[in-house]
Amino acid sequence: MSGDEAGGRTGTEDGALRPWSGTKVVGAAEPRIDGAERVSGGAVYTRDIALPDMLHAAVLGCPHAHAELTRIDARRARSMPGVRAVLTAFDAEAEMLVPGPWWIADGPPMRLLERHCRFAGEEVAAVAADTLDQAREAARAIVAEYRPLPFVVDAEEALAPGAPAVHEGGNLVRPPARFNNYSRGDVVRGRDEAVAVVDGVYRTSCLIHSALEVHGSVARWDGNRLTVWDSTQGVFDMQQYLAQVFGLPLSAVRVIGGFMGGGFGGKAELGRSTVLAALLARRTGRPVKLCLSREETFRSAGNRPPNALAVRLGARADGTLCLLELDNLGAVGAYADLAFAGPQTAELYRCPNVRYAEREAFTNTGKARAMRAPGFPQFAWAVEQAIDELAGRLGIDPVELRLANVPDESQLLPGLRFTSSGFARCLREGAEAFGWQTARSRPRDHGPRRRGVGMAAAMWDGAGGPPATAIVKVFPDGSAGLNTGAADLGTGTKTVLAMIVAEELGVPLDRIAVEHADTATTQYAQLSGGSTTVTNNAPAVRAAARDARRQLLELAADQLGVEPSALSLGDGAITSAVDPAAKLAVSELKALREQGVLVGIGRRGRNPEGLLSYSWAAHFAEVEVDTRTGKVHVLRLLAAHDSGRVMNLLSYRNQVFGGVAMGIGFALSEERVVDPRTGKVLNPSWQDYHVPTILEMPELACLPVDPGDELCNTVGAKGLGEPATIPTAAAVANAIHHATGVRFRHAPVTPARLLEGLARRYAEG
Ligand code: MOS
């Protein structure tokens, strides 16, 4: 639909547009447009913000896993040097409710500061002072007295009769109906039909997002208007939450994003610390900065919840699946959030008889938050290992077994087809590029070391959709500006979106400035989550650029006295198909100089009716297991992805390799350890919680499989960020099984677990 057809609505929608058939800029390996700022230290992150008269804040957390705060004495803290304000759980403001994310319909309320503390680290007081050291020292000087309560840190124990209640009403989270239960066909018939059935219980550990940049906010009041600089995945979401909390109109709340050092889902909801910063700023009449410490991010800024997944799979003799069952139990922690793992059960493979049931339990631990493909890597850890086992049972190659079960349409929403599916190609071409057949049959014995290869697959719905609005400006010198509200979590969003402007207008990237993630000055964008930043916003940017181009051609047509349809735009100049002599540089457009700037507006159109846009992936891993030390080294890993069009080859590879790194941590080393006797996190640091380093990273290969999707949206791209981490851990576990003959069902496979597993196998003979 063109702007005119849109009938009075501002700007253009992209509905009728097809993705590019050929591109000059999009798809290239372009370095980040903000790369020099990032690596030189010039980039300003929330933590770097320094405002005149700004105060620094620190938080006091409850030391007990479950306790009632009976008394708090802040007199000494208030009299300490530099201290400007102290808020405690006994103040009236402490009763303010921090809204949960929109995907949690009706969890128990979270008060700003809590007297009934439900996890070790739960916030009970906050201090603002002239310096951070003063604030921290004063927080430590607050005398808090508690009545400790019995607590529970394990989901299964939390649901046992007589368990301590985290919330009144019991520890079973009221199910959000849209996720938790599903069935089709007849699982009893499925079991009867099967010639091979495998079942097992798989466990995953609690993981911490571990964004390089910690969570942080700076708040300032100007009269009744609140401005918050925030490390957030969605400035407009935070604006809404803050307006709700403070009873302000949206127009009185400005949220500014800017440079981010990662989010991974952990910065997708409003945290207490942001509200505390705003409240302390209001109390003191001065701007307040509150950044979490690394330790605090481990205790209270969210996690990927631990899951226990009971899986049963069955197949017919030809390898087609006839049974798929999953029972999941996840621990959300002290407040409701995502601990489900089921959705892929319904969609990843073709299977007539499917059932999954999920339960989520409250525990006295830090709360879960969305984390890179919530639930999906946990599902893959269980089901993708079970499929591997089933392949072994049937004597079918694991790649072939998956190929025999590739769905050709949705089974969750019967009758709906996919805009494209490169799933089979990911499996086939991935296997080919990895050298699967050869590697699979190579000798596994290398003295005390053993080698093996394994693979796993995944799907993800990152279709995105409206709303999104973008503005593209063209200045009289031919340079351009892009204005979008989207956050750039560090993924390269700014660069990818600018490349679309460059593609459409022929303006070089270094002449395009990007303004983004500011509710006061940029256009509406949804939360950057669900791998939808590109699929939400790129079509709006393309529509805006085309709106700007249309206007440029009209101005040029007027000046040249020709029809706009005879003109085309490229390399900063407008040329005529009819008269090659009629050529105008954008900088020669008189009307543009007179009007000062030209503004193109674009909006995200709707997705096609009756179609689903999924991303697909297959990861292939080769590992070496040292049977003396229990250490697993991933030697190489190939990631084949159908995420539609590659928008920028460098940031695409970045996303994939980052996802793989997280997956390797999931498989081998990352585990938040909570002491069952004290309920405290024992390893709240990167010293003791092992994120993979460059030393643990394998030789990496990324194989983009582009099905040439003409339907998903107007740029042809599908979601990438999350699929990149879904199958990795399962592929590594399958490789470990191939190397050792032992199936490891408890992630991560630490050296201790590995040696235990080997010992058990030797004991069993
Ligand atoms: Mo993501 S876990 O949807 O931010």
Side-chain angles (χ1 to χ4, degrees), residues 108-176:
M110 189 197 276
R111 285 182 204 85
L112 183 56
L113 295 168
E114 189 50 272
R115 278 177 285 172
H116 177 180
C117 300
R118 296 178 173 88
F119 65 95
E122 180 142 30
E123 297 83 348
V124 297
V127 179
D130 292 343
T131 71
L132 183 57
D133 284 343
Q134 288 170 336
R136 287 193 172 152
E137 219 154 295
R140 273 197 295 272
I142 294 171
V143 180
E145 290 173 12
Y146 300 90
R147 185 172 68 86
L149 299 167
F151 62 87
V152 62
V153 298
D154 173 84
E156 273 156 85
E157 288 169 21
L159 295 184
V166 181
H167 293 277
E168 285 169 30
N171 293 335
L172 189 65
V173 180
R174 255 184 59 199

Side-chain angles (χ1 to χ4, degrees), residues 13 132 150 183 187-188 210 220 240 394 505 616:
E13 269 196 16
L132 183 57
S183 72
V187 291
V188 176
S210 302
R220 186 184 74 196
Q240 279 184 30
L394 291 163
L505 297 184
W616 306 91

Side-chain angles (χ1 to χ4, degrees), residues 441-484:
S441 52
R442 271 201 292 263
R444 284 173 259 181
D445 247 325
H446 298 262
R449 296 198 177 92
R450 299 191 60 87
R451 286 189 179 189
V453 292
M455 55 84 53
M459 57 137 313
W460 179 254
D461 178 353
T469 301
I471 283 182
V472 169
K473 301 177 205 171
V474 181
F475 298 102
D477 64 355
S479 65
L482 167 62
N483 179 302
T484 163

